[in-house]
Amino acid sequence: MTLAQQMLTLAHEAKEAARVLANQSSAVKNDVLRAMADGLEREMPALIEENEKDLAATRERDLAPAMVDRLVLDEKRIRAMADGLREVAALPDPVGEVTRMWRRPNGLQVGQVRIPLGVIGIIYESRPNVTADAAGLCLKSGNAVVLRGGSEAIHSNTAIGAVLRRELERYNLPAAAVQVVTTTERAAVLELLKLEEEIDLIIPRGGEGLIRFVSENSRIPVIKHYKGVCHTYVDADADFEMAEKICINAKVQRPGVCNAMETLLIHKDIAETFVPRIAQAMRAEGVEMRGCPITREFAEVKEATDEDWGAEYLDLILAVRVVEDMDEAMDHIARYGSLHTEVIVTRDYRNSQRFLREVNSSVVMINASSRFSDGNQFGLGAEIGISTTKLHSFGPMGLEDLTTRKFVVMGDGQVRE
Amino acid sequence: MTLAQQMLTLAHEAKEAARVLANQSSAVKNDVLRAMADGLEREMPALIEENEKDLAATRERDLAPAMVDRLVLDEKRIRAMADGLREVAALPDPVGEVTRMWRRPNGLQVGQVRIPLGVIGIIYESRPNVTADAAGLCLKSGNAVVLRGGSEAIHSNTAIGAVLRRELERYNLPAAAVQVVTTTERAAVLELLKLEEEIDLIIPRGGEGLIRFVSENSRIPVIKHYKGVCHTYVDADADFEMAEKICINAKVQRPGVCNAMETLLIHKDIAETFVPRIAQAMRAEGVEMRGCPITREFAEVKEATDEDWGAEYLDLILAVRVVEDMDEAMDHIARYGSLHTEVIVTRDYRNSQRFLREVNSSVVMINASSRFSDGNQFGLGAEIGISTTKLHSFGPMGLEDLTTRKFVVMGDGQVRE
């Protein structure tokens, strides 16, 4: 069989499995999820042994220590995967929800009902826990999943997949509901991305390079975010103490993630007092500031160049710009932002409402740290990803985002005149 | 300027206009829509004159009479366009709707609010009324629109666009909110389909060839349906009179549209009585039936070949198959259907519910004609299209489908621990 045929067969089996999965009750799906969790804990020694093979292979290559660390499966991480599946079992099932229903003048009852999307393809890197996390969310929402992890985690992913598939079979469900691509050829991804008849949605998870590769080569709809360039705008009327606390948290609490602040915008009326204050606070936290000319009048910081606006540092670096007013701040965000998360700190009612209304990023906040921009923090349950493109979903994505809605119509013999 | 630069400039202007449009009140948008309607009626002689140029050009080509007819703009059709815009003005504005809002344990208020998508690209054929209809729906939902009609309607589309743009300017809104591509080169479409930074969604409207061309060449998400192969399944327990009425309506009332029935499935227990009855009724309406071997035992009809299952005739032709039971009917639909609209006719409660639940086409009906599968018939207001792909929208699309939802978060200084 050619690689193309292999991928087609695998995706086609997933599509058949999806039809079966779509009609399972929540009770059955939850039982399977909990059985999968137990299975992972039971198979812990075998999983660690397979993970050892992946780790051994990295020693022959020159991988960054952070990347190797992400690859490790130990008892704690396997228990965390299992608990993740149990948490998904405890979430409400989105499938079958009637989101609205109404009656037409001719007596037809028309409504919309949530259904699974069908087959979800997940293309990801390094972390083997994604295998269980993504499979769990897809199963709960009634979808089959095709998982294609990185070649560096191939033994770990295959072993986790085998445990999940065994539990599906024990419940007389098709193992093909969780398909793990075991070939490490990159061409396999290209073949998968062509299968628009079999796969309904692709979610890439990883660095910007992977995401661009997937989205440029896919015939299938892709939900993605390239990067998070989050802005905090401190308004003329802000409470300085609150503004400082929010800015420090947004920049420092976990600088390497997409919802950390990358650019700080400050109203010119408060530059003289707020710039020195935040510069001192940032310095104390080890943050390197890069400022516009006005910023540099009030604090000794490096000069920001054009590349700093719109940069995603993922590090203890912060671009700072003093703006004329809120309109200039919003123009800056529209020009350099990534549609991820933007924050205003203000006590002014009118400005808070205008910012909320006029800034159309996927998450817009008043007086809170951008670090809250996350499915778990919002209470959506486990997060399957975040979308900064506007189609289908925009912002953090939970179970509901793995569904669509069909129309249902109940009549008693109506025909059209 | 190269064609690529022209298209980029035009799309970029639309993107700038979209930012302005997103923040207009419903009152302003409705005023503009009504002014556009008045403008079209006022400019009627000029529009008819421009349309004459398109019609003259068709005389030199060998266009089908139906195609020429679709191209004609007369007083009646211009008034219908104007009334269409007034109807859109009267619809509720989806923008700004808070679809839900909740409070987190830390006091953060989190919600989701409808916002426009941004810039919509419409690629369409022949009918010049699409220019006004699509522009109206996009304007109402706060989106800018890039319109690319067929070369055969270029004078008509440009003239309609000019009227709409003039009214935008009279209300101090950017004319670029309605961009009409005036070059007739097909390469212009290819250039537009690359502009993923500027255009948020592409909706192709036309034949299957156009839709395939657009969806295979687009970097931008495309909402589409290729075809409508609608099934009606007449269950063992159906009321024959109702079943006959529904089948005749679904096949005959307007056979050339996507929600007409193309395949009839009949439960074997009623084949002996229902097949002759429906065959006689269809014959009386001039419908050619093509049947499976069992169908042909009970009625003198042509033999159906493999190509008949899944065929979209758009004509007075009907494929008929006798099935073992409802499961076989649902299997047939899953295999040959196009995810458009499927109907069951039955008096059996359990079967009606199973069919509704297990058939995952975009519209599923009990005891009604498939001809109701339409945004207007469902009460969604004017229809921008119909989607048979599951991402973003599934089924008939109204104004709401031209929006997405952003998250809004209101805090009072919360930071993440």
Side-chain angles (χ1 to χ4, degrees):
Chain A
M1 251 197 321
T2 66
L3 193 60
Q5 286 166 334
Q6 276 176 50
M7 292 305 113
L8 178 62
T9 304
L10 176 141
H12 188 76
E13 287 168 4
K15 188 180 177 181
E16 295 287 309
R19 263 193 83 197
V20 178
L21 225 57
N23 294 307
Q24 298 305 314
S25 68
S26 304
V28 167
K29 292 187 286 188
N30 294 341
D31 284 347
V32 177
L33 285 164
R34 283 184 291 254
M36 286 173 163
D38 296 345
L40 289 175
E41 289 181 339
R42 208 171 44 236
E43 300 290 334
M44 205 177 278
L47 293 177
I48 290 174
E49 205 180 299
E50 289 299 308
N51 182 246
E52 219 3 88
K53 293 183 192 166
D54 288 329
L55 293 175
T58 64
R59 281 171 213 127
E60 289 158 30
R61 292 161 62 190
D62 200 23
L63 281 187
M67 195 137 171
V68 176
D69 175 66
R70 268 182 251 159
L71 199 54
V72 174
L73 276 186
D74 53 21
E75 185 177 331
K76 196 176 149 213
R77 286 187 179 175
I78 293 171
R79 286 205 192 282
M81 269 200 289
D83 286 340
L85 290 173
R86 291 184 187 108
E87 279 166 31
V88 172
L91 289 173
D93 186 343
V95 175
E97 185 199 353
V98 177
T99 59
R100 51 184 189 150
M101 187 163 278
W102 60 96
R103 193 183 287 276
R104 297 291 299 153
N106 60 3
L108 280 181
Q109 189 94 24
V110 181
Q112 286 185 280
V113 179
R114 280 203 188 285
I115 59 171
L117 285 172
V119 179
I120 317 275
I122 315 268
I123 318 282
Y124 55 108
E125 290 172 331
S126 318
R127 295 180 197 273
N129 66 300
V130 173
T131 309
D133 294 354
L137 289 166
C138 289
L139 172 61
K140 176 78 185 211
S141 51
N143 294 289
V145 66
V146 176
L147 296 156
R148 210 290 185 177
S151 55
E152 70 287 350
I154 184 72
H155 293 96
S156 313
N157 291 337
T158 307
I160 294 168
V163 173
L164 306 182
R165 288 163 64 92
R166 200 177 310 142
E167 299 302 327
L168 281 163
E169 281 176 334
R170 293 210 312 160
Y171 280 81
N172 291 315
L173 292 175
V178 176
Q179 296 285 61
V180 180
V181 178
T182 53
T183 160
T184 57
E185 290 174 69
R186 189 153 203 187
V189 175
L190 287 175
E191 293 301 332
L192 284 176
L193 298 178
K194 287 179 194 163
L195 303 175
E196 56 178 331
E197 297 292 322
E198 283 74 24
I199 302 178
D200 295 280
L201 171 65
I202 295 283
I203 304 178
R205 292 182 59 165
E208 196 176 337
L210 173 80
I211 294 170
R212 287 212 182 267
F213 175 79
V214 167
S215 91
E216 280 168 18
N217 288 288
S218 185
R219 284 268 183 92
I220 306 164
V222 177
I223 287 191
K224 58 182 181 275
H225 86 279
Y226 289 129
K227 54 184 181 172
V229 182
C230 303
H231 296 76
T232 303
Y233 164 61
V234 180
D235 198 21
D237 205 24
D239 175 326
F240 282 11
E241 197 183 319
M242 183 194 286
E244 181 184 321
K245 218 176 80 184
I246 286 174
C247 290
I248 292 292
N249 187 259
K251 180 70 254 179
V252 172
Q253 197 244 358
R254 201 169 164 205
V257 291
C258 61
N259 61 14
M261 166 172 67
E262 302 291 11
T263 300
L264 172 60
L265 302 168
I266 299 171
H267 192 289
K268 71 166 193 307
D269 290 356
I270 57 167
E272 191 173 348
T273 45
F274 190 68
V275 168
R277 177 175 179 157
I278 197 70
Q280 192 186 347
M282 287 287 171
R283 200 176 302 118
E285 297 282 350
V287 176
E288 173 191 321
M289 274 175 47
R290 300 181 186 174
C292 70
I294 306 178
T295 303
R296 299 178 74 224
E297 281 177 31
F298 302 116
E300 268 187 51
V301 300
K302 273 179 81 168
E303 190 179 346
T305 67
D306 256 5
E307 285 74 57
D308 285 299
W309 315 125
E312 187 188 33
Y313 302 117
L314 299 173
D315 201 352
L316 290 175
I317 305 174
L318 178 68
V320 185
R321 181 170 182 179
V322 173
V323 292
E324 198 56 30
D325 53 20
M326 189 171 79
D327 284 289
E328 196 177 296
M330 294 195 295
D331 285 342
H332 181 101
I333 290 169
R335 179 157 174 203
Y336 297 105
S338 62
L339 302 183
H340 195 296
T341 300
E342 328 298 348
V343 175
I344 184 173
V345 184
T346 190
R347 285 180 300 196
D348 185 281
Y349 169 73
R350 195 165 164 268
N351 282 359
S352 72
Q353 296 304 307
R354 267 196 69 205
F355 192 87
L356 212 58
R357 199 169 53 235
E358 297 187 18
V359 175
N360 279 341
S361 293
S362 65
V363 180
V364 189
M365 297 186 176
I366 308 169
N367 295 344
S369 165
S370 60
R371 288 280 297 115
F372 286 110
S373 187
D374 171 287
N376 274 305
Q377 293 295 321
F378 284 174
L380 306 180
E383 186 179 283
I384 186 81
I386 178 164
S387 168
T388 57
T389 47
K390 293 175 185 163
L391 262 280
H392 190 72
S393 297
F394 196 35
M397 290 167 64
L399 280 174
E400 203 179 282
D401 299 282
L402 297 178
T403 67
T404 190
R405 297 184 303 172
K406 69 178 174 190
F407 284 89
V408 294
V409 179
M410 283 164 278
D412 47 11
Q414 282 87 344
V415 297
R416 203 162 154 188
E417 303 303 325
Chain B
M1 251 196 322
T2 66
L3 193 61
Q5 286 167 332
Q6 278 176 48
M7 292 304 111
L8 179 61
T9 304
L10 177 140
H12 189 77
E13 287 168 4
K15 189 180 177 180
E16 295 287 310
R19 264 192 83 197
V20 178
L21 226 56
N23 294 306
Q24 298 305 313
S25 68
S26 304
V28 167
K29 292 187 287 188
N30 294 342
D31 284 349
V32 178
L33 284 164
R34 283 185 291 254
M36 286 173 164
D38 296 344
L40 290 175
E41 289 181 337
R42 209 171 42 237
E43 301 289 334
M44 204 176 277
L47 293 177
I48 291 175
E49 205 180 301
E50 290 300 307
N51 182 246
E52 221 1 270
K53 294 182 192 166
D54 288 331
L55 293 175
T58 63
R59 279 171 214 128
E60 289 158 32
R61 291 162 61 192
D62 200 24
L63 280 186
M67 195 139 171
V68 176
D69 175 65
R70 268 183 252 158
L71 199 55
V72 173
L73 277 186
D74 53 21
E75 184 178 330
K76 197 177 146 212
R77 286 190 178 170
I78 294 172
R79 289 207 191 281
M81 271 200 290
D83 286 339
L85 290 173
R86 292 185 187 108
E87 277 166 32
V88 171
L91 290 173
D93 186 343
V95 174
E97 186 199 353
V98 178
T99 58
R100 49 184 189 153
M101 185 164 277
W102 60 97
R103 193 182 289 278
R104 297 291 300 153
N106 60 2
L108 280 182
Q109 189 94 24
V110 181
Q112 285 185 281
V113 179
R114 281 203 186 283
I115 59 170
L117 284 171
V119 179
I120 318 277
I122 315 268
I123 319 282
Y124 56 108
E125 291 172 330
S126 1
R127 295 180 196 273
N129 65 301
V130 173
T131 309
D133 294 353
L137 289 166
C138 290
L139 172 61
K140 177 78 185 211
S141 51
N143 295 288
V145 65
V146 176
L147 295 156
R148 209 294 185 176
S151 56
E152 69 287 352
I154 185 71
H155 294 96
S156 313
N157 291 337
T158 307
I160 294 168
V163 173
L164 306 182
R165 288 162 64 92
R166 201 177 310 143
E167 299 302 326
L168 282 164
E169 281 176 334
R170 293 208 313 161
Y171 280 82
N172 291 315
L173 292 175
V178 176
Q179 297 284 60
V180 180
V181 177
T182 53
T183 159
T184 57
E185 289 174 71
R186 189 152 202 185
V189 176
L190 287 175
E191 293 301 331
L192 284 176
L193 297 178
K194 287 180 193 162
L195 303 175
E196 56 179 331
E197 297 293 322
E198 283 74 25
I199 302 178
D200 295 279
L201 171 65
I202 295 284
I203 304 179
R205 291 181 59 164
E208 196 176 336
L210 174 81
I211 294 170
R212 288 214 182 268
F213 175 80
V214 167
S215 90
E216 280 167 19
N217 288 288
S218 185
R219 285 266 183 89
I220 305 165
V222 176
I223 288 192
K224 60 183 179 275
H225 86 279
Y226 289 130
K227 53 184 181 172
V229 182
C230 303
H231 296 76
T232 303
Y233 165 61
V234 179
D235 198 20
D237 206 24
D239 174 325
F240 282 10
E241 197 183 320
M242 183 194 286
E244 181 185 319
K245 219 175 80 184
I246 287 174
C247 291
I248 292 291
N249 187 258
K251 182 68 255 181
V252 172
Q253 197 244 356
R254 202 169 163 204
V257 292
C258 62
N259 60 14
M261 166 172 68
E262 302 292 12
T263 300
L264 171 61
L265 302 168
I266 299 170
H267 192 289
K268 71 166 192 307
D269 290 355
I270 57 167
E272 192 174 345
T273 44
F274 189 69
V275 168
R277 178 177 179 155
I278 197 71
Q280 192 186 348
M282 288 286 171
R283 200 176 303 119
E285 297 282 350
V287 176
E288 173 191 322
M289 273 173 51
R290 300 181 186 173
C292 71
I294 305 179
T295 303
R296 299 178 74 222
E297 281 177 28
F298 302 114
E300 268 187 51
V301 299
K302 273 179 84 169
E303 191 179 346
T305 67
D306 256 6
E307 285 74 55
D308 285 298
W309 316 125
E312 187 188 33
Y313 302 117
L314 299 173
D315 202 350
L316 290 175
I317 305 172
L318 178 68
V320 185
R321 182 171 181 178
V322 173
V323 293
E324 199 56 31
D325 53 19
M326 189 172 78
D327 285 288
E328 196 178 296
M330 294 195 296
D331 286 342
H332 180 100
I333 290 169
R335 178 156 176 207
Y336 297 105
S338 61
L339 302 182
H340 195 296
T341 300
E342 328 297 350
V343 175
I344 183 173
V345 184
T346 190
R347 285 179 301 194
D348 184 281
Y349 170 74
R350 194 165 165 268
N351 282 359
S352 71
Q353 297 304 307
R354 267 197 69 204
F355 192 87
L356 213 58
R357 198 169 56 235
E358 297 188 18
V359 175
N360 279 341
S361 294
S362 65
V363 180
V364 189
M365 297 186 176
I366 307 169
N367 295 345
S369 165
S370 59
R371 289 279 296 117
F372 286 110
S373 187
D374 171 288
N376 274 304
Q377 294 295 322
F378 285 175
L380 306 179
E383 187 179 284
I384 187 80
I386 177 162
S387 167
T388 57
T389 47
K390 292 175 185 163
L391 262 279
H392 189 70
S393 297
F394 196 35
M397 293 169 61
L399 280 174
E400 202 181 282
D401 300 283
L402 297 178
T403 66
T404 189
R405 297 183 304 173
K406 70 179 173 189
F407 284 89
V408 295
V409 179
M410 284 163 279
D412 47 9
Q414 283 87 344
V415 297
R416 202 160 154 187
E417 303 303 324

